[in-house]
Amino acid sequence: MKNSPRGTAPSRKTARDLLSLGQLILILVIGTATLTCLVAWPRPAATVLVSAALLFYVLFVGLKLTLHIASRRYVPPAIEPVSIDDPDLPTYTVLIPLYKEANMLGSLVGSIDGLSYPKDRLQVLLLLEEDDTETRAEAIGLDLPERYTTVVIPDLAPKGKPKALNMGLAQATGVHTVIYDAEDRPDHDQLLKAVAAFRASGRDLACVQARLFFWNEDSSWITRFYWSEYVIHFERVLPGLSKLGLIPPLGGTSNHFRTDALRRTALSHDVLPPGAEGIGGWDPWNVTEDAELAGALAARGYRIAMIDSVTREEATARPGVANRQRRRWLKGFLQTGLVYTRQPYQTARQMGFRRWFCYNLLMLGTPVSLLLNPLFWGLTVIYVMTRSTLVESLFPVPIVGALLMVAGNLLFFYQLVGACVNRGGYGSIKFLLLTPLWWAFTSWSAYGVLWELARPSTRHKWNKTPHGHDLGKEKGQLIEISGAGTGMGHVPKPALRGRLG
C-alpha cells in the first residue's frame, strides 16, 4: 500500500439509482436466458442454477473460513495512548446524529464529557432533525457547555444518518472526526488511542475503528444472538480482513477519521440532496453509509485499521425492531455491492482485484446467502422425506452439496459457541439451540429487503432503531478486564475462563 493517497480522486457513485443501465441490461439478458432455458430444458437448466449457487457457497463460506483462520494470527498494534497533557494534541470533532432520542441525551452527554481529552480541543456537534422537536427541546434544556453545538438537519428526503453526517462534516473544525450514536459508551481514552494510531502511521491511514460490544446480552434471545454476532464480527471478521490486507467494512459508530481524508473522498456536491448538501463524505442514498464509505476510502488509496478500544452499545431486544434493523443493514449491503460493481474493471483497478472481489463478496454475499438458504433448506427437507431422484439429479456432485451444508453450518455454529466461551457468555450457550430459528429470522429479513428495494418509496428508507430500553443494564458492567481471543480491547464481562475458536 502506498504511503499517501492517490492524487486524483476516482469517480464515486451513489446508491440513488438502484441499477446502472449496464447492470439493468445484464440482469435482463441473464434473466431472459435463464427463463428460456428453464422452459426449454428444465432439468439441465435447474442443475446449472444449483451448481452456480453451490459455487457461490464455496466462495462465500471459504472466505468466512479464511477470515476465521487469519484472525487467530492477528495481533493489534501495541500503541500506547497519547498523554492528555500532550501540548500538540489535535482538535477533535465529535459527530452525534440523533433522531427521537431525547431520553438518551442526558446519559450520552455524560459519556462524552467523560472522555479523557482536553475540553478546549473538542467540538461536539449534535445533529438533530428539523422535525424532532422533543430532542431539540431536551438539548436546549440541558444548558450544554460551549463546545456543544446543535446542527438542525432540514426535513428533506432522503432522511437518515448519512445526510445528517454530511451536514455535520460541513461544520467540522477538528483535525480528526469521530462518530458516536446515542447509546454509545466509549472507553474514556479512546480518542487518545486514536491520535496515537494516526501518529504512528502514514497519511494513507484515513480511519481507525474501535470494537463495539453490547452491554445487554441477556435481555432476550434476540440480544444474545446480536451479542454473539458482534463478537464474531469484531474478533474474527474484521481482524481477519485486516490480517489479509483486505477492506474492513466500517460499522456505523466509533470510527475515527482524518477529517481531510473524508473531504478528499467526498461525493460531488451536485449529487447531494438539494437544500442539505453539506459535504458528501457519506452517501445519503445508502442506508449502510458506513460500509460504503470503507469502499470509497479504499478506492481513493486510503487504509482502515483497528484500535484496541471498546465502545459499549445497547442491542435491540424485540423481534420487530430487530427485523427492521437487519433489513436496513442487508439493504445497504446490496446497495453498496451494486454500486461497486457498476464499473468493475475501473473499480477493481482502484482497489486491487483481490480486495475488490472480497469486499463485494461480503457486501453482496451476505444478503444473497440469506436469500438462498431457505431454498436449499426446502430441497433438503423434500429429499429427506421423499428420497426424490429429481432433487438428487439437481446436484451434479451430491457429496459437494452435503459437505457445504454440513461444513458451512458447523462453521457458523462453531463461531457462535466460540463467541460465548471466549467472552464469558456461558448463559447464552443454551440459547444457541435456537440457531435455526435465528437463521430463518434473518432470511425473513432478507426477503423483506427485496420488497423494499422494489418500491421507490422504501428503497432509501432508513429504518430507525429506537434505544434506551435497557439503559439500566449498563450499570455495574463497566469493569474492564483483559480481552481474549484476538486481544481486541477491554470488555465489560466477568473473568474469562476457556477459549474456543
Side-chain angles (χ1 to χ4, degrees), residues 69-83:
I69 295 171
S71 69
R72 297 173 65 87
R73 305 193 309 272
Y74 175 80
V75 178
I79 298 176
E80 291 296 322
V82 176
S83 170

Side-chain angles (χ1 to χ4, degrees), residues 249-290:
L250 295 171
T253 177
S254 303
N255 299 314
H256 301 253
F257 299 94
R258 294 188 192 273
T259 307
D260 64 340
L262 282 174
R263 292 186 166 129
R264 287 169 63 89
T265 311
L267 289 156
S268 173
H269 190 271
D270 59 3
V271 304
L272 299 174
E277 294 91 345
I279 296 177
W282 295 266
D283 180 1
W285 312 98
N286 191 312
V287 296
T288 52
E289 77 297 331
D290 39 19

Side-chain angles (χ1 to χ4, degrees), residues 5 31 35 125 148 214 302 368 437 471:
L35 288 175
L125 300 181
Y148 286 82
F214 289 130
Y302 286 109
V368 167
L437 177 60
L471 279 178

